[in-house]
Amino acid sequence: GEAQVLKKEYDKALENFQKAAELNPNVVDTHINVMAVAILMGNLELEKQEKQIIEDINPIFFQEEAGLVRFISLYKRMGRIETFVEVLEKLMELYPEKIEYFSTLAIFYAELGENQKSEETISLLLGRSGELDLQIQNFIQKIYSGEFLPK
């Protein structure tokens, strides 16, 4: 299945991953693969179905960091902006000590030219330490200079 994904042969990949899921119905990873291909194919119904199966097997999978980050790059790649932002916001809520989630969302907003949202997101980190505050102020200056806009 993975070789077919790399070749963008999603129908073949899906068939292989679904066979694996049938053979191992209680193994989360088999359903993760099916869900990932469903996202790549834009098959929302199958994505939702597989997500439910994953949650039935492991009810906290999408409440944990490993589960949340598993699909985030696919959401962005496929233009699922609302879902991408939703997952990052959930990660920021669950793991406020991990500044990478704040900075990823702030950079994303800056790339879209949404400077106010970018500043609001990164400013949530202010007050943690003097050194970090200086880095955040520098980041905010870069937002408004257009540095993050695609060239």
Side-chain angles (χ1 to χ4, degrees), residues 4 42 46-47 62 64 80 89 97 99 101 110 113 122 126 151:
Q4 287 90 11
L46 181 58
E47 175 189 344
F62 291 105
E64 297 177 322
R80 302 267 303 276
E89 288 176 343
E97 73 281 2
I99 63 171
Y101 299 131
I122 203 68
L126 288 170
K151 306 274 187 245

Side-chain angles (χ1 to χ4, degrees), residues 14-26 30-31 34:
L14 181 60
E15 184 179 325
N16 288 331
F17 287 140
Q18 284 179 320
K19 283 180 187 174
E22 287 172 21
L23 293 171
N24 303 290
N26 294 318
T30 63
H31 296 284
V34 174

Side-chain angles (χ1 to χ4, degrees), residues 34-117:
V34 174
M35 185 175 162
V37 175
I39 292 168
L40 289 168
M41 295 175 76
N43 187 333
L44 297 176
E45 185 177 320
L46 181 58
E47 175 189 344
K48 184 178 178 182
Q49 176 184 327
E50 291 300 315
K51 183 177 182 182
Q52 185 59 57
I53 292 170
I54 293 167
E55 289 174 332
D56 289 345
I57 296 169
N58 181 353
I60 61 169
F61 183 81
F62 291 105
Q63 302 302 316
E64 297 177 322
E65 187 175 25
L68 288 167
V69 299
R70 197 77 180 250
F71 300 101
I72 199 163
S73 64
L74 288 178
Y75 292 136
K76 185 176 181 187
R77 176 176 161 191
M78 299 309 295
R80 302 267 303 276
I81 305 309
E82 188 174 303
T83 307
F84 175 77
V85 169
E86 183 180 298
V87 171
L88 275 172
E89 288 176 343
K90 179 89 170 168
L91 286 164
M92 289 164 43
E93 176 187 326
L94 292 173
Y95 304 97
E97 73 281 2
K98 296 201 171 186
I99 63 171
E100 60 266 31
Y101 299 131
F102 294 81
S103 60
T104 298
L105 186 55
I107 289 170
F108 173 72
Y109 282 139
E111 290 171 345
L112 293 177
E114 295 189 31
N115 296 342
Q116 186 64 37
K117 284 185 177 182

